[in-house]
Amino acid sequence: MPYADLTRVVLETDQRQLPRSHAEKYELKTIWYWYPLYCLGGIAFVAFVILTITGILLGFFYVPDGRLEINPTTQNLTNPAWNSMLVIMNEIPFGFIVRGMHHWAAHIMIAAVFLHMCRVYFTGAYKKPRELNWLLGVVLMLITIMFGYSGYLLPANNLSEGAANIGINMTRASPVIGDQLARLLFGDINTLTGVYILRWYWIHVFILPLLGTGLMILHMGLVWLQGVAEPH
Ligand code: HEM
């Protein structure tokens, strides 16, 4: 064996002081570039914590009533939910910052959850024995999307109305129970009177947080028990 190679072998075995690196242990051919992407699940969770804190603060001032009324001074059509958004943005100290943080954390959470799912897929981390955690992840993804949809309705502006109409039509298109389900979720199924705001507020601040928090604890508890999958 050439002298230089012999030196290397000795250094890597007998005299080695450091533990073997991950790349050496698993004989990876390249440095594993993708480690930063292992943060994405954690980033989604941090975004969720920020959303919870800022959401609690917004809840002190938001009025979940979207029923239409005429503004006595301007004679414009308005509603208490939208008026409470104006108060949060223009009168409550730091209100616009707290709303802004809630808005951007929501965007970051959706992006992080999607990219986290891509990371899990492309590293093959969904394979045995982590199938259950992948399925839990699918439900968490749906919950995250529903958080986004319900939050989009809450300002009770024209965009919210548009989104509510799309939601009603999609729900009504479900077989057999479509109409009943739409009535349950939105209150009205033909002309919007604004009842949908209270329904979706309850989904946004109670049902989804309850389900989401429980499933996130389970999801991350499983990662804690099973360990993070090694890349190969
Ligand atoms: C609210 C959304 C979610 C949160 C807070 C979350 C959180 C986490 C965290 C903190 C980890 C540890 C490793 C890492 O961060 O990459 C993890 C791992 C994992 N997640 Fe998620 N996750 C979410 C959604 C999803 C989705 C949508 C999927 C797939 C459909 C998924 C499937 C998995 C799997 C299979 C693992 C184990 C990966 C491994 O061992 O390498 N998760 N998750």
Side-chain angles (χ1 to χ4, degrees):
M1 187 184 277
Y3 189 72
D5 283 359
L6 195 64
T7 316
R8 186 176 55 78
V9 169
V10 167
L11 275 176
E12 281 175 4
T13 52
D14 298 9
Q15 303 196 358
R16 191 179 176 102
Q17 303 283 311
L18 291 171
R20 281 188 303 159
S21 72
H22 182 91
E24 283 172 313
K25 190 169 166 199
Y26 292 94
E27 291 170 4
L28 298 177
K29 291 194 180 59
T30 50
I31 298 170
W32 191 252
Y33 304 105
W34 308 116
Y35 276 140
L37 302 183
Y38 282 58
C39 290
L40 286 164
I43 291 173
F45 184 67
V46 170
F48 181 69
V49 172
I50 293 173
L51 284 162
T52 308
I53 297 168
T54 52
I56 289 172
L57 294 174
L58 290 171
F60 284 115
F61 305 101
Y62 176 76
V63 178
D65 180 358
R67 284 172 300 176
L68 298 172
E69 60 193 23
I70 305 282
N71 181 329
T73 24
T74 61
Q75 297 300 310
N76 289 334
L77 209 52
T78 177
N79 68 73
W82 167 246
N83 291 333
S84 71
M85 299 306 300
L86 293 178
V87 172
I88 289 170
M89 294 302 280
N90 300 317
E91 288 168 35
I92 307 292
F94 302 107
F96 71 103
I97 293 183
V98 174
R99 184 182 178 207
M101 286 172 72
H102 200 74
H103 176 101
W104 286 107
H107 280 71
I108 288 169
M109 182 167 175
I110 302 250
V113 168
F114 177 73
L115 294 172
H116 168 62
M117 186 178 72
C118 295
R119 185 297 274 175
V120 169
Y121 179 77
F122 286 114
T123 55
Y126 57 86
K127 291 178 192 167
K128 196 177 175 183
R130 295 183 175 77
E131 304 94 323
L132 176 64
N133 228 10
W134 173 267
L135 292 178
L136 276 176
V138 172
V139 181
L140 281 172
M141 176 87 180
L142 294 175
I143 288 180
T144 310
I145 291 170
M146 290 317 280
F147 258 124
Y149 177 70
S150 52
Y152 193 78
L153 300 184
L154 296 184
N157 55 21
N158 292 344
L159 289 172
S160 316
E161 274 202 9
N165 277 320
I166 293 171
I168 290 171
N169 290 332
M170 285 174 68
T171 315
R172 291 186 74 183
S174 332
V176 192
I177 54 160
D179 278 4
Q180 285 90 329
L181 193 61
R183 203 176 287 284
L184 174 73
L185 291 176
F186 293 90
D188 316 295
I189 59 174
N190 293 311
T191 318
L192 283 181
T193 60
V195 198
Y196 73 97
I197 293 295
L198 182 57
R199 308 275 163 103
W200 285 91
Y201 176 73
W202 188 239
I203 294 172
H204 190 79
V205 303
F206 186 76
I207 298 177
L208 293 175
L210 196 74
L211 288 176
T213 309
L215 291 182
M216 276 179 228
I217 291 171
L218 269 182
H219 186 73
M220 290 185 290
L222 270 182
V223 175
W224 184 56
L225 286 175
Q226 298 185 312
V228 172
E230 297 292 355
H232 286 288

